[in-house]
Amino acid sequence: MPKVTAQGKTFDCESGANLRQVLLRNGIDLYNGQANLINCRGIGSCGTCAVMVTGEVSEPNWRDRTRRSLPPHSATKNLRLSCQTKVLGDVQVTKFDGFWGQGDTAVWGSEG
């Protein structure tokens, strides 16, 4: 079983599990500010669940690539939409500041 490490917590999930669902189910504060209320609920259109992921995950799909190519995101940043990412092996997750998680300062990482 893959291990997911985020916000100082480590937990197991099934291989192929949706990263957004795994994070939320384990009490991780995935959204910044009002994005907690105003988000697309996992369909890949808003971009507020963007995180940096280190480890084995699925390749970005067209929704992930398309949304991250539009402002305020940048296709050159090493982010993924957690709602469009499948966990395939052990991963470490970092969330950045900004409404969409597009900032330069980490809000939390694998250490907390």
Side-chain angles (χ1 to χ4, degrees):
M1 286 192 127
K3 293 193 181 308
V4 176
T5 304
Q7 211 172 27
K9 302 175 186 176
T10 300
F11 34 86
D12 295 326
C13 72
E14 296 290 326
S15 182
N18 178 280
L19 181 58
R20 175 185 178 270
Q21 293 172 2
V22 170
L23 294 171
L24 293 175
R25 186 170 44 245
N26 285 281
I28 302 301
D29 296 326
L30 180 57
Y31 298 102
N32 294 336
Q34 293 300 316
N36 191 39
L37 301 172
I38 305 168
N39 65 74
C40 70
R41 306 292 187 240
I43 63 172
S45 62
C46 74
T48 59
C49 68
V51 292
M52 183 175 71
V53 183
T54 305
E56 191 178 355
V57 294
S58 58
E59 290 295 318
N61 63 21
W62 68 271
R63 282 186 176 136
D64 191 338
R65 288 189 313 272
T66 301
R67 181 59 194 98
R68 288 183 303 107
S69 72
L70 300 170
H73 286 292
S74 168
T76 61
K77 282 196 128 178
N78 188 24
L79 298 178
R80 294 292 302 273
L81 298 185
S82 64
C83 69
Q84 300 298 308
T85 302
K86 293 182 186 207
V87 179
L88 303 177
D90 293 351
V91 297
Q92 295 78 42
V93 184
T94 303
K95 180 70 177 183
F96 290 92
D97 63 339
F99 185 82
W100 287 270
Q102 82 286 0
D104 296 320
T105 304
V107 175
W108 52 258
S110 55
E111 285 83 40

